[in-house]
């Protein structure tokens, strides 16, 4: 296995479910859509595989979790010159484009006759139905690249800042500029001095995890050939112009590719990072690394005046602790139900529905990292038949103006800053587990006498889907509360039940039914 391949050792809990749809190796006509318009691959492992016309693009599957782009290039360049690689890390697959059909034929033919290993695991090969992998740059020259890389951070459970990305990318070669922008997720552009440096970084880091098991990098060449940075902060930085922000000289930041722990923000246990191996072919030697400047810690929130100047590049929104959510059901959603959904990803301070834009609300959260998590996990989910659009708002705070009555008679504005149902304020906030929506809900703080029949009746009374499986955790005889799991037929049904029943008060005034942490189905005991 290549040295650079040991950068990442992504782990998944045993038995956990991957929600990305993968393709069966025995399916003859199944296709993979790449961003709706990208390349597709057809699995043909049967006797009729010769009917698929050869293509320069080869679909590789059966990869191990630890594979990065460099592992693919190292294992397959013996078949011919490789023009482009598209990683699909969560599918454990990749698309590899050769410079000729003959090279691709050698690869597929060899994989049919004998075992071909990538990162010490046998991989499987088929021709793709596409003749070329779609690049973000849409360059006519298949061998073309760019010194600016586009990084998409998948499953970003922890904060991604310029400091984090610099520490990850700079050991390969000098990073000139970084810009982070957040729309439907977290993406960044990283500029290197020349194309060769960018190619090295793409090889070493494409498909790697910044933190173990999350914050996975998907790297492509970007469209612009130079980044414009007007301010050095946690969303943009020009390392050739340190005067853009006052800094103090220091001993320099640690010269390793990835830090040992994620920033401590009280939202969960420390998660170890995986260091770039000292003997990696892509890591610069110590004599090539210049002394660096130690920059001061930046506060999460910035003033409105400074944030406006920081968002000039690509129109990306400056970091904000306010999320905007649209697509809310006008009759079934209110401030309390928005709170029930968003409180899983951080403290919710205020919720305000917009009178001028029906079905749209502003949610002020404890900090910008909570907003990032909400965008990552709640954007595009369906609630009451409507698809939510969650993004970072340009507003820096929610102001209670133009308050009106919603369809259910409740107020369009509510302040949750003092509620005890916020879970990220107490000393036990580190126990919170950030999970994407799933088909299973974890409920707790329920009265010990609560039965399955009572819970089913509760679902019926509130017109939410009924659960299909019910499990109660064993509790001590002296326990005053009950906890367990509820499984639903679909993720959408589970989300709707959580939205309505989370923090619902039942029977005992001091007890609230908390249906909160969504867990994978494998968490059944």
């Amino acid at each position: 296995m290549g040295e650079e391949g040991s950068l990442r050792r992504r782990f998944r809990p045993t038995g956990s479910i991957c929600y990305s749809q993968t393709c069966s190796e025995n399916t003859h006509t199944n296709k993979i859509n790449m961003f709706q318009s990208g390349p597709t691959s057809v699995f043909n492992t049967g006797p009729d595989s010769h009917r698929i016309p050869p293509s320069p693009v080869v679909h590789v599957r059966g990869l191990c979790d630890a594979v990065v782009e460099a592992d693919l290039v190292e294992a397959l360049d013996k078949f011919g010159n490789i023009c482009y690689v598209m990683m699909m890390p969560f599918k454990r697959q990749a698309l590899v484009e050769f410079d000729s059909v003959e090279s691709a034929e050698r690869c597929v033919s060899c994989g049919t006759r004998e075992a071909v290993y990538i990162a010490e695991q046998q991989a499987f090969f088929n021709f793709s139905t596409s003749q070329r992998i779609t690049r973000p740059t849409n360059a006519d020259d298949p061998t073309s690249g760019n010194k600016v890389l586009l990084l998409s951070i998948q499953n970003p459970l922890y904060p991604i800042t310029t400091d984090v990305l610099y520490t990850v990318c700079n050991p390969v070669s000098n990073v000139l500029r970084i810009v982070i922008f957040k729309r439907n997720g977290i993406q960044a552009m990283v500029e290197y001095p020349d194309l060769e440096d960018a190619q090295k970084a793409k090889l070493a880091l494409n498909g790697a995890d910044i933190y173990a098991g999350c914050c996975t990098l998907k790297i492509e060449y970007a469209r612009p050939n130079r980044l414009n940075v007007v301010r050095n902060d946690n969303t943009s930085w020009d390392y050739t112009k340190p005067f853009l922000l006052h800094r103090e000289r220091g001993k320099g930041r640690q010269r390793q590719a990835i830090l040992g722990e994620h920033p401590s923000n009280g939202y969960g246990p420390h998660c170890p990072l995986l260091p770039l191996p000292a003997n990696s072919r892509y890591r610069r030697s110590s004599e090539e690394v210049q002394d660096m400047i130690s920059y001061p810690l930046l506060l999460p929130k910035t003033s409105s005046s400074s944030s406006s100047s920081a968002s000039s590049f690509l129109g990306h929104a400056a970091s904000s602790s306010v999320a905007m959510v649209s697509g809310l059901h006008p009759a079934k959603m209110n401030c309390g139900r928005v709170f029930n959904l968003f409180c899983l990803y951080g403290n919710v301070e205020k919720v305000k529905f917009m009178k001028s834009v029906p079905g749209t609300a502003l949610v002020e959260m404890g900090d910008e990292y909570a907003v990032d998590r909400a965008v990552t996990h709640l954007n595009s989910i369906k609630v009451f038949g409507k698809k939510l659009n969650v993004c970072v708002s340009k507003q820096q705070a929610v102001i209670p103006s133009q308050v009106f009555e919603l369809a259910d008679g409740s107020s369009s504005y509510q302040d949750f800053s003092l509620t005890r149902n916020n879970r990220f304020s107490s000393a036990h906030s580190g126990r919170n587990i950030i999970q994407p929506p799933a088909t299973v809900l974890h409920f707790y703080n329920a009265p010990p006498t609560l039965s399955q029949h009572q819970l089913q009746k509760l679902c019926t009374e509130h017109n939410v889907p009924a659960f299909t499986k019910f499990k109660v955790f064993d509790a001590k005889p002296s326990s005053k509360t009950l906890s367990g799991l509820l499984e639903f037929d679909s993720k959408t049904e589970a989300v709707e039940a959580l939205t309505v029943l989370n923090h619902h008060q039942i029977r005992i005034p001091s007890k609230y039914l908390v249906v909160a942490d969504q867990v994978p189905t494998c968490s059944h005991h």
Side-chain angles (χ1 to χ4, degrees):
M1 175 177 181
E3 298 165 342
E4 63 281 1
S6 61
L7 165 67
R8 172 171 61 94
R9 295 294 179 269
R10 178 187 296 129
F11 68 92
R12 294 192 182 101
T14 303
S16 66
I17 291 181
C18 179
Y19 298 104
S20 298
Q21 183 178 357
T22 56
C23 299
S24 168
E25 293 177 10
N26 297 321
T27 304
H28 288 264
T29 58
N30 200 359
K31 297 183 178 181
I32 297 177
N33 293 322
M34 298 301 300
F35 306 109
Q36 298 179 347
S37 61
T40 58
S41 168
V42 176
F43 298 161
N44 285 279
T45 55
D48 296 330
S49 61
H50 64 279
R51 296 182 181 178
I52 301 296
S55 165
V57 181
V58 173
H59 177 216
V60 187
R61 66 191 191 279
L63 299 172
C64 68
D65 290 334
V67 166
V68 293
E69 180 177 330
D71 295 317
L72 285 158
V73 173
E74 183 179 38
L76 304 181
D77 63 357
K78 62 184 178 182
F79 301 116
N81 185 38
I82 295 176
C83 299
Y84 200 78
V85 175
M86 175 177 284
M87 300 293 294
M88 295 180 277
F90 289 103
K91 295 178 182 289
R92 300 173 67 180
Q93 300 167 7
L95 293 175
V96 178
E97 181 180 326
F98 289 91
D99 64 348
S100 67
V101 175
E102 291 74 22
S103 298
E105 286 179 325
R106 285 194 292 269
C107 176
V108 174
S109 177
C110 180
T112 303
R113 295 192 312 268
E114 60 188 63
V116 176
Y117 291 88
I118 299 176
E120 301 179 358
Q121 179 166 308
Q122 183 178 359
F124 304 91
F125 307 88
N126 290 96
F127 291 117
S128 170
T129 57
S130 296
Q131 296 296 309
R132 185 171 182 266
I133 298 176
T134 302
R135 281 92 155 151
T137 56
N138 289 328
D140 293 331
D141 182 3
T143 62
S144 66
N146 192 359
K147 66 177 183 177
V148 179
L149 298 178
L150 173 64
L151 280 61
S152 298
I153 295 87
Q154 301 175 341
N155 195 24
L157 296 185
Y158 302 111
I160 301 298
T161 64
T162 50
D163 200 47
V164 169
L165 292 182
Y166 180 90
T167 314
V168 170
C169 299
N170 197 65
V172 180
S173 184
N174 281 325
V175 171
L176 300 183
R177 299 170 190 89
I178 297 176
V179 172
I180 300 173
F181 46 101
K182 306 167 186 177
R183 288 174 180 162
N184 294 332
I186 299 179
Q187 290 183 303
M189 290 189 183
V190 179
E191 181 182 345
Y192 285 96
D194 53 46
L195 174 59
E196 182 180 355
D197 292 331
Q199 289 173 333
K200 288 166 55 179
K202 185 172 181 290
L203 279 171
L205 302 175
N206 191 13
D209 284 348
I210 296 178
Y211 299 101
C214 62
C215 302
T216 304
L217 295 174
K218 185 177 186 299
I219 304 178
E220 298 171 295
Y221 294 115
R223 288 177 180 269
N225 53 22
R226 189 184 188 281
L227 301 182
N228 179 34
V229 176
V230 297
R231 177 178 171 82
N232 288 346
D233 58 17
N234 57 354
T235 61
S236 62
W237 207 290
D238 188 336
Y239 298 95
T240 67
K241 297 179 180 179
F243 58 82
L244 291 179
L245 181 70
H246 174 72
R247 76 276 185 258
E248 298 177 356
R249 295 277 178 178
K251 295 182 180 179
R253 66 179 75 191
Q254 191 171 352
R255 304 300 304 167
Q256 64 180 36
I258 303 181
L259 300 175
E261 293 180 328
H262 71 80
S264 178
N265 52 27
Y267 288 159
H270 287 279
C271 177
L273 277 165
L274 306 169
L276 185 67
N279 59 352
S280 170
R281 71 177 69 178
Y282 297 103
R283 186 188 179 100
R284 291 183 290 166
S285 61
S286 58
E287 56 270 17
E288 291 180 297
V289 181
Q290 303 173 357
D291 292 334
M292 299 306 300
I293 297 171
S294 178
Y295 296 94
L297 180 65
L298 295 164
L299 297 176
K301 291 187 179 181
T302 58
S303 64
S304 58
S305 60
S306 63
S307 63
S308 60
S309 63
S311 60
S312 62
F313 181 80
L314 291 180
H316 73 283
S319 296
S320 170
S321 59
V322 179
M324 183 171 72
V325 52
S326 59
L328 297 170
H329 194 288
K332 296 184 178 181
M333 291 299 289
N334 55 33
C335 293
R337 291 182 175 182
V338 171
F339 173 87
N340 288 344
L341 193 56
F342 277 74
C343 71
L344 274 64
Y345 302 105
N347 288 338
V348 176
E349 302 289 330
K350 303 170 187 175
V351 177
K352 171 189 171 183
F353 278 75
M354 302 173 66
K355 189 173 185 179
S356 59
V357 188
T360 301
L362 297 176
V363 183
E364 182 176 342
M365 306 193 73
D367 54 44
E368 64 188 65
Y369 303 131
V371 173
D372 288 344
R373 288 192 293 272
V375 170
T376 299
H377 296 300
L378 298 180
N379 184 51
S380 297
I381 68 170
K382 281 191 174 182
V383 185
F384 302 124
K386 297 180 70 68
K387 185 177 180 181
L388 300 188
N389 179 26
V390 185
C391 62
V392 181
S393 172
K394 294 180 180 179
Q395 304 295 326
Q396 295 298 309
V398 172
I399 301 174
S401 60
Q402 292 186 314
V403 178
F404 60 97
E405 191 176 277
L406 296 176
D408 64 352
S410 63
S411 174
S412 64
Y413 169 82
Q414 195 167 346
D415 189 328
F416 296 95
S417 58
L418 299 180
T419 179
R420 62 179 181 179
N421 291 328
N422 270 321
R423 309 169 192 182
F424 293 78
S425 302
S426 67
H428 302 293
S429 60
R431 298 179 182 177
N432 290 306
I433 301 176
I434 307 299
Q435 293 279 4
T439 58
V440 179
L441 300 180
H442 170 215
F443 72 89
Y444 57 94
N445 203 38
T449 57
L450 187 68
S451 66
Q452 179 177 355
H453 173 72
Q454 289 173 311
L455 272 176
Q456 290 282 20
K457 185 179 178 182
L458 192 65
C459 292
T460 303
E461 290 175 349
H462 289 82
N463 197 26
V464 296
F467 53 87
T468 56
K469 293 183 181 179
F470 171 83
K471 178 179 177 62
V472 175
F473 296 146
D474 294 333
K476 297 179 181 179
S478 59
S479 177
K480 298 180 180 180
T481 61
L482 185 72
S483 62
L485 300 175
L486 302 176
E487 183 174 355
F488 294 80
D489 282 334
S490 68
K491 187 163 50 177
T492 299
E493 291 185 355
V495 171
E496 291 178 1
L498 181 144
T499 302
V500 175
L501 298 180
N502 197 8
H503 307 118
H504 179 74
Q505 187 175 357
I506 51 177
R507 293 189 177 271
I508 305 175
S510 61
K511 298 301 177 187
Y512 291 82
L513 174 63
V514 181
V515 185
D517 300 319
Q518 296 187 307
V519 296
T521 307
C522 64
S523 293
H524 283 291
H525 297 280

